[in-house]
Amino acid sequence: LFYSQKQSKAITLKEYTEAMAEGQEKIYYVSGESRERLAKLPQVRALEEKGWDVLLFTDEVDEFIPQTLMTYEEKQFCNASTEDLGLQSEEEKKAIEEKAEEMKDFLTFVKNTLGDSVKEVKLSGNLGSAPACMTPASGVSFEMEKYMRRVNPDMAFPNERILELNPEHPAVQAMQAALVSDTQKARDYAQLLCGQAQLLAELPLEDPMGYTELVCKLMK
């Protein structure tokens, strides 16, 4: 049994597939320590807006099941925090690619500002109403990384991070505008959104005090 975000109860995979909305082709899931926090992830909210259900995995063994089964009733499992959600049409994907090319210098600026804390900064159309999120560069989720660190520290390797930005969000647009008028403020915005994305992904902040000071600075 797995907790269904849409039905607010534990259900079987059979019940999940039988209740799938029209047009939904994948079995979506996310992993974490708390259902309440998982429900607030940008990807989960974007799927909710579409009317599609998401299974919230909170037991350590849960994530091994889709990796072992791969499919159920010919429906592929999709980790909503690491994989393409399939929400966009080809036209929408092309529009994001064109937007990324248009904002290439801006994305480079954000990457240079954040340095080695992220491997890449890119645009995403899967964030719904959220400004940013943090995703792993490999297919291994952050939760699996945490699990491996606990059970076998010698075999646990840190997962490189990708900061995804929503080009339609006012916060991202404000950062882009600040790049023209106030470069330091744009850097502060980049650090702030990066910190927010880490917190949403349940990743520890490297410098909590620095993050707090940054918030206070931007509130002046």
Side-chain angles (χ1 to χ4, degrees):
L1 297 175
F2 306 99
Y3 189 84
S4 160
Q5 171 65 10
K6 189 174 184 178
Q7 300 185 43
S8 300
K9 65 178 183 178
I11 63 173
T12 64
L13 292 176
K14 185 174 187 295
E15 290 172 318
Y16 179 95
T17 54
E18 288 176 345
M20 286 172 65
E22 183 178 353
Q24 182 179 344
E25 298 295 334
K26 300 178 182 180
I27 300 173
Y28 296 98
Y29 70 92
V30 286
S31 301
E33 298 177 6
S34 161
R35 289 204 306 259
E36 290 73 18
R37 295 185 69 173
L38 289 175
K40 296 176 182 178
L41 288 175
Q43 298 94 329
V44 174
R45 289 184 167 177
L47 289 166
E48 277 189 297
E49 291 173 6
K50 186 75 173 178
W52 295 354
D53 196 7
V54 187
L55 298 175
L56 309 184
F57 289 177
T58 53
D59 291 334
E60 288 185 338
V61 298
D62 286 348
E63 200 170 340
F64 287 102
I65 294 173
Q67 293 178 1
T68 302
L69 294 179
M70 303 297 289
T71 63
Y72 178 82
E73 295 292 337
E74 300 183 353
K75 301 291 185 181
Q76 286 189 332
F77 286 93
C78 176
N79 188 331
S81 64
T82 64
E83 301 175 46
D84 179 20
L85 302 182
L87 297 178
Q88 299 170 288
S89 65
E90 290 303 316
E91 290 77 12
E92 290 171 327
K93 289 180 179 179
K94 184 177 180 180
I96 283 288
E97 291 174 0
E98 292 175 350
K99 191 73 172 178
E101 182 62 29
E102 179 185 320
M103 298 173 64
K104 184 177 180 180
D105 291 343
F106 168 75
L107 295 174
T108 299
F109 168 81
V110 177
K111 171 62 178 77
N112 291 340
T113 297
L114 301 177
D116 294 336
S117 60
V118 296
K119 179 183 180 182
E120 182 184 354
V121 177
K122 67 179 185 180
L123 301 184
S124 173
N126 290 327
L127 299 183
S129 59
C133 77
M134 195 70 73
T135 58
S138 69
V140 180
S141 70
F142 292 131
E143 288 307 309
M144 186 60 70
E145 177 190 340
K146 295 175 190 176
Y147 173 78
M148 293 301 296
R149 192 182 298 124
R150 286 194 296 271
V151 300
N152 192 348
D154 293 336
M155 293 296 292
F157 299 98
N159 216 337
E160 292 183 302
R161 303 170 182 179
I162 296 176
L163 178 65
E164 298 188 2
L165 299 175
N166 180 355
E168 304 303 321
H169 196 280
V172 176
Q173 293 173 352
M175 177 167 56
Q176 189 176 14
L179 181 57
V180 177
S181 60
D182 189 338
T183 305
Q184 183 54 52
K185 179 173 283 189
R187 292 193 184 98
D188 290 342
Y189 284 163
Q191 294 287 356
L192 183 66
L193 286 179
C194 182
Q196 290 179 351
Q198 286 177 261
L199 292 172
L200 279 173
E202 298 186 45
L203 295 169
L205 294 176
E206 296 177 5
D207 183 7
M209 181 58 71
Y211 179 80
T212 302
E213 292 174 347
L214 178 60
V215 172
C216 293
K217 174 184 176 182
L218 291 172
M219 290 176 67
K220 292 180 180 179

